[in-house]
Amino acid sequence: MSTQIKEFKTIIAGERMSASDGATMNIINPANGAIIAKAPKCGISEVNLAVAAALKAAPEWASKTVGERSKVLLKLSQLIMANLDELAKLETMEHGSPIRKTMNFDIPLCAEQLEYFAGVGRALTGETLPVGPWCTSMAIREPLGVVGLITPWNFPALMVVWKLGAALITGNTVIVKPPSITPLTTIRLAELAMEAGVPAGAVNVVTGPGELVGEAMVQHPDVAKIGFTGDTVTGKRIMSLASSTVKQVGLELGGKNAFIVLSDADLDSAVEGAIFSAYFNTGQVCAAASRFYIHESLYDQFAAKFVEASKSLKYGDPMNMETVLGPVAYAAHRDKIEGYIGRARNAGAELLLGGERPDTPDTKDGFYVAPTVFGNCSNDMEIMRDEIFGPVIALCKFKTNEEAVALANDTKYGLCASVWTRDLRTGLQLASHIQAGTVWVNEHLMIFCETPWGGCKESGWGKDLSTMVLKEYTKTKHIYLDLSPAPVKPWYMILK
Ligand code: NAD
């Protein structure tokens, strides 16, 4: 891909547009710090234009049959695969995710999710309610109208698509606010959506700062819902701002997820699962395992194997097909992670691996953090409590299964967790006691289109994915038909 700086446009009412004042944001390749593109730095006036466009497009999109909407989603899915190479490279360049991942995982999964929503959306039903012989009562599902989608930078394409698919198939029109550091794949996806047949105004993208563009969307009276994925602090702010218009909000927020290895676990498969769930996407995953609770009888072996396996991970240039760990997404995030590492060392956590900034020809200009492992941690340490969102792992011992559950639940978050054991009955018991939206047994990070995703406690509420999300993007209307032939109304006995 050329290193020429390309100027991307935002998409409003089917038109490619600059910000009204011409302001732009630099998009930086985290692998080398180079500016690769510019994107419009929009503001409130662009949000207002986008909302007006989405409102205008809403009746046309909602009045299509679900079969017609499904065909558009399928076409978009095909176009994504037809443009796999371009989209994968774009995502790698704006985010730093290794090309082997964006090519084989992120972009193909976007296509698959659209196929899923194109299919499952057609099975959405309402209900008829047998309240009495004198009436027919039904609960039908209607689109919400204009939906605002505010997305994070950790999976730039995927986080948009899994909301977009659900919102569009259920007949809503949308405004997407991508993160300021990674807006490029979102813009390309919206262009492809238009090519797939989404009417002008049904998918709008407004790029710009969250505090300006995001907050304007949240407070706009014509936006019916905000589907948000991001940090818990931002989620709280959105929730409070949304109250001014009594707007629905779906909140997919942060996590600090426990990985529990019981005394009877298959050690090698637990270590393999640990490596994947700790380092996938350089640890920048809401669902990443970052607190490891290991039974004391296995702790030393687990720690030794985990450290050895961590050493073998190849990090460096994400455009190299061999690279497994890319940089983190931006310089300030690298600095924040380094701050956590420094404070953990000062707090007495035992550094088992990493801790220094990598300095190889491949990494010297990028925002890299080497895999870093701390041992003998305790729940009162900052690294066991805060979401670090990087390749920094904390290991802790426990004695009993009850203690492991108590430690896992000792957090403000409730996104996900995993339990590793050969005894599935024990696995199920622990899963039922862990406060989290998802608990895996002998796996971690397995998220499918078909399975509901979303946390509890300060990890948010509402679900993405699965058939459950269809309800999140529709409202229920009760329609009552009075069929009584004679005066037999149920309220006669009160008035007459
Ligand atoms: P962030 O909250 O900083 O930003 C997310 C989005 O919100 C961005 O588009 C940003 O511009 C926008 N935003 C920022 N301030 C805003 C405001 N005041 N009003 C409206 N919008 C605003 O999060 P991030 O750093 O981009 O993403 C990382 C976080 O996302 C982590 O906490 C991670 O756990 C979480 N996440 C959660 C899930 C999940 O499914 N639960 C998935 C992915 C990421």
Side-chain angles (χ1 to χ4, degrees):
M1 183 172 272
S2 130
T3 49
Q4 199 188 343
I5 298 175
K6 184 175 171 192
E7 196 154 332
F8 281 68
K9 305 276 185 205
T10 200
I11 293 179
I12 298 175
E15 301 289 334
R16 291 174 177 81
M17 291 174 63
S18 304
S20 52
D21 61 0
T24 57
M25 312 180 289
N26 289 336
I27 309 305
I28 292 169
N29 182 346
N32 55 24
I35 298 173
I36 51 165
K38 289 179 183 289
K41 189 175 184 183
C42 297
I44 294 171
S45 59
E46 287 79 18
V47 171
N48 290 337
L49 282 178
V51 175
L55 207 54
K56 191 168 167 216
E60 182 197 337
W61 184 243
S63 66
K64 287 190 184 302
T65 65
V66 65
E68 288 168 331
R69 291 198 295 267
S70 171
K71 287 191 179 70
V72 174
L73 260 59
L74 288 173
K75 178 74 184 159
L76 176 56
S77 168
Q78 288 157 5
L79 285 172
I80 286 173
M81 287 314 285
N83 291 275
L84 170 65
D85 194 62
E86 183 209 343
L87 287 166
K89 284 180 180 154
L90 199 56
E91 175 131 326
T92 292
M93 288 185 75
E94 70 172 338
H95 178 258
S97 221
I99 191 77
R100 65 189 276 168
K101 171 178 161 291
T102 54
M103 277 281 204
N104 296 311
F105 172 78
D106 298 81
I107 306 303
L109 191 51
C110 287
E112 187 186 329
Q113 289 188 345
L114 288 166
E115 279 174 21
Y116 173 75
F117 285 118
V120 82
R122 301 185 75 161
L124 181 66
T125 57
E127 285 177 66
T128 52
L129 309 160
V131 290
W134 61 84
C135 69
T136 288
S137 221
M138 53 190 135
I140 62 163
R141 299 228 150 246
E142 295 181 337
L144 297 171
V146 176
V147 166
L149 307 178
I150 303 180
T151 57
W153 50 261
N154 64 329
F155 292 93
L158 207 51
M159 292 295 109
V160 173
V161 166
W162 82 12
K163 293 184 189 303
L164 189 70
L168 286 180
I169 193 67
T170 45
N172 302 285
T173 55
V174 304
I175 300 152
V176 186
K177 204 310 262 172
S180 302
I181 59 164
T182 58
L184 307 183
T185 41
T186 303
I187 292 172
R188 272 303 285 142
L189 285 168
E191 288 172 352
L192 293 175
M194 291 194 296
E195 203 179 319
V198 169
V203 174
N204 307 276
V205 177
V206 184
T207 51
E211 299 73 19
L212 199 60
V213 169
E215 295 202 4
M217 281 165 61
V218 175
Q219 294 176 94
H220 201 294
D222 291 329
V223 175
K225 174 186 172 115
I226 295 291
F228 173 74
T229 299
D231 191 78
T232 293
V233 173
T234 317
K236 289 179 182 178
R237 170 91 181 137
I238 286 175
M239 203 170 164
S240 78
L241 291 176
S243 70
S244 66
T245 52
V246 197
K247 203 182 292 321
Q248 278 191 46
V249 286
L251 299 174
E252 300 292 352
L253 310 178
K256 184 73 185 175
N257 311 302
F259 187 109
I260 303 172
V261 182
L262 303 189
S263 58
D264 69 342
D266 174 338
L267 188 63
D268 288 335
S269 91
V271 171
E272 257 182 25
I275 291 289
F276 174 63
S277 52
Y279 297 121
F280 180 58
N281 210 27
T282 318
Q284 302 165 114
V285 185
C286 56
S290 58
R291 295 183 289 149
F292 287 76
Y293 299 103
I294 319 296
H295 189 267
E296 58 181 0
S297 63
L298 292 181
Y299 180 87
D300 290 341
Q301 288 179 71
F302 182 95
K305 285 180 181 246
F306 184 79
V307 167
E308 271 319 296
S310 303
K311 279 184 198 162
S312 68
L313 295 170
K314 181 168 168 28
Y315 59 84
D317 178 7
M319 290 303 267
N320 178 344
M321 254 309 182
E322 304 298 309
T323 298
V324 174
L325 291 191
V328 298
Y330 57 105
H333 188 49
R334 186 259 325 266
D335 299 346
K336 184 175 158 197
I337 296 170
E338 288 181 343
Y340 276 113
I341 293 172
R343 290 192 297 279
R345 294 174 87 157
N346 294 339
E350 180 191 7
L351 184 65
L352 301 177
L353 180 71
E356 303 295 335
R357 186 180 289 193
D359 186 21
T360 65
D362 234 17
T363 59
K364 66 179 175 34
D365 297 324
F367 313 137
Y368 287 87
V369 179
T372 297
V373 184
F374 286 102
N376 282 323
C377 298
S378 56
N379 256 24
D380 56 354
M381 290 178 174
E382 185 190 50
I383 45 166
M384 293 289 282
R385 306 203 74 79
D386 284 15
E387 182 185 46
I388 298 174
F389 226 54
V392 180
I393 310 311
L395 307 179
C396 172
K397 284 179 200 163
F398 70 89
K399 287 184 197 309
T400 65
N401 292 355
E402 293 70 28
E403 184 193 1
V405 170
L407 288 167
N409 286 340
D410 175 25
T411 171
K412 67 180 181 183
Y413 293 112
L415 191 55
C416 61
S418 62
V419 179
W420 297 74
T421 173
R422 286 193 169 90
D423 177 356
L424 293 183
R425 179 192 292 258
T426 304
L428 184 57
Q429 272 171 355
L430 263 65
S432 67
H433 287 108
I434 291 172
Q435 298 156 355
T438 293
V439 183
W440 296 279
V441 178
N442 297 327
E443 257 304 353
H444 196 109
L445 265 192
M446 286 295 110
I447 300 172
F448 300 93
C449 304
E450 294 82 1
T451 53
W453 179 251
C456 58
K457 295 160 79 175
E458 292 196 16
S459 292
W461 50 272
K463 294 292 175 198
D464 274 331
L465 302 178
S466 82
T467 54
M468 289 184 191
V469 73
L470 301 175
K471 295 197 174 165
E472 309 256 346
Y473 284 94
T474 50
K475 55 182 186 272
T476 301
K477 179 179 279 172
H478 170 217
I479 298 178
Y480 178 98
L481 300 179
D482 183 56
L483 305 173
S484 51
V488 290
K489 307 252 185 213
W491 43 267
Y492 277 14
M493 66 188 210
I494 301 170
L495 285 190
K496 300 206 173 195

